[in-house]
Amino acid sequence: MATLFLGLNANAARMDMVDVSNNNGYMSTAEYVSMRNEFGVKAVTVKISEGGTYKDPYAASNIANVQAAGMYINGYHFARYATKAQAIAEADFAGQTAKAAGLPVGAVLATDVEAEEQNNQSKATNDRNNAAFMQEIEKFGYRADIYTSGSWANNKMTIKGKTGWIAAYPYVVSGKNWYSTNHAWQWSSTAKFRISYGGFDVSQLNSNYYTAGQKSTVKPTNKGAVKANNRKANKNIYKPASSAKWIKESKTYTLKTAVKLRTGASTLSNAITILPAGTTIKTDQAIIQGGYRWVRQPRFNGHGYLATGPASNTLEYVKSGASHTYYTVKYGDSWWEIAQRNGLSMTTLASQNGKTIYSTIYPGQRLVVR
């Protein structure tokens, strides 16, 4: 099946599919046409929803504009479930949201499984929950799949051959053909497109699953540009500074914008999760390298790394030294009750404390309410 997509540049990982979300902002039809004609993009997978309440505000416009550009359209849901019941509820929410946004029947609606909620579960529990989500999403007429990182595939959950969309970013991409037995391999989160701002997640398709179950009929108009841009995207331009050193830094930051928490201090490192704006993080070390200022966040199972801003403006993504009002959880309290008392939504209250509405709270625990 992989031979369906070979031809333009067999020695380089291809930009067959792009995935977009609210992090990319509004994307016009012209931008998608440029991706198709100059970069060889065939399919776009758009974020539909997250957890049980968040609807991506750009889902509908992304779906319409991708279709207007003549490309294949799919969707994904960022999973926050930790139980089978939550997985089914999130699938119902994602399916209803996708229908309202205009995702056509027959498209893929993948579950994006990479959050803290799943990291805390056993492999068997994650397998059960993922199966429940996929079975439920198929009731809406969508085809199901799982997106996760290479480090989680078959460790935190089962990803069989001829299924799955796997993210893993090699330092040198050219010549690599990772996860060739799975539907798709996401090989970069920093790809650049000529008329679009910022970096994008790009994937190589190894089957026709994300092109409506048929051989792709999407054809670029400039094959020379596709070949040149593909080679450029495969080049590794990240060079760590030899003089860069980690320094101790015990600080608390509040995110101004959504930021990816990564497994290492590099944009090439796998994303653990996306921390929403308003999240409060505590750090123990910092470094400037690769064009960004990075901080290290101690976690129960190691460390996470995130950029506080580009090296030229090192605190662009965070506000430092923010003063907060705290509430101490009492016996019988719930997310809803605490949120209501403080004029917040449950989702806002949970996210600004680095949790979700499914997280358990305990008496004596301190929560940021202002």
Side-chain angles (χ1 to χ4, degrees), residues 15-19 40-45 66 71-74 205 210-211 216 218:
M15 294 183 281
D16 294 325
M17 184 168 72
V18 172
D19 55 282
V41 177
K42 301 173 176 65
V44 180
T45 300
V66 168
M71 302 158 79
Y72 296 99
I73 184 68
N74 302 287
L205 298 178
Y210 284 83
T211 58
S216 173
V218 175

Side-chain angles (χ1 to χ4, degrees), residues 163-274:
T163 70
W165 171 20
I166 311 301
Y169 310 142
Y171 183 69
V172 177
V173 180
S174 185
K176 302 293 193 304
N177 189 27
W178 292 1
Y179 300 100
S180 59
T181 63
N182 298 105
H183 286 318
W185 166 39
Q186 185 187 92
W187 54 269
S188 177
S189 63
T190 57
K192 306 292 184 182
F193 294 99
R194 186 176 63 82
I195 64 172
S196 299
Y197 174 77
F200 290 81
D201 298 335
V202 293
S203 300
Q204 174 172 290
L205 298 178
N206 300 313
S207 77
N208 55 25
Y209 194 68
Y210 284 83
T211 58
Q214 62 189 16
K215 184 176 179 179
S216 173
T217 59
V218 175
K219 304 297 181 184
T221 59
N222 190 338
K223 291 185 178 181
V226 171
K227 188 173 183 179
N229 287 325
N230 191 213
R231 285 177 175 169
K232 183 178 180 181
N234 274 254
K235 290 181 179 178
N236 177 32
I237 58 173
Y238 167 70
K239 296 181 180 179
S242 58
S243 59
K245 293 182 179 179
W246 286 96
I247 61 170
K248 290 184 178 180
E249 180 199 77
S250 297
K251 288 189 176 181
T252 299
Y253 294 104
T254 301
L255 301 184
K256 294 179 182 177
T257 184
V259 175
K260 285 186 177 181
L261 184 69
R262 298 183 180 275
T263 56
S266 166
T267 56
L268 298 174
S269 298
N270 287 341
I272 299 171
T273 188
I274 298 176

Side-chain angles (χ1 to χ4, degrees), residues 25-27 29 32 57-66 101:
Y26 177 79
M27 297 286 296
T29 300
Y32 290 123
Y58 297 104
S61 62
N62 277 325
I63 291 168
N65 292 343
V66 168

Side-chain angles (χ1 to χ4, degrees), residues 43 110 137 173 244 305 343:
I137 209 66
V173 180
Y305 302 83

Side-chain angles (χ1 to χ4, degrees), residues 123 127 131 134 145-146 148 153-154 157-166 179-184:
K123 182 179 179 182
D127 284 347
M134 292 191 291
D145 202 15
I146 301 173
T148 194
N154 297 313
M157 69 201 74
T158 301
I159 304 292
K160 297 179 180 179
K162 298 183 179 180
T163 70
W165 171 20
I166 311 301
Y179 300 100
S180 59
T181 63
N182 298 105
H183 286 318

Side-chain angles (χ1 to χ4, degrees), residues 96-150:
Q96 292 163 8
T97 304
K99 290 283 189 183
L103 188 69
V105 169
V108 175
L109 208 171
T111 178
D112 179 348
V113 187
E114 54 176 314
E116 192 74 15
E117 289 81 359
Q118 295 90 43
N119 195 32
N120 292 331
Q121 309 306 318
S122 68
K123 182 179 179 182
T125 297
N126 283 330
D127 284 347
R128 179 199 65 193
N129 296 345
N130 290 341
F133 179 97
M134 292 191 291
Q135 183 176 4
E136 190 71 11
I137 209 66
E138 288 174 350
K139 294 179 181 178
F140 291 86
Y142 298 122
R143 293 177 295 131
D145 202 15
I146 301 173
Y147 167 94
T148 194
S149 68

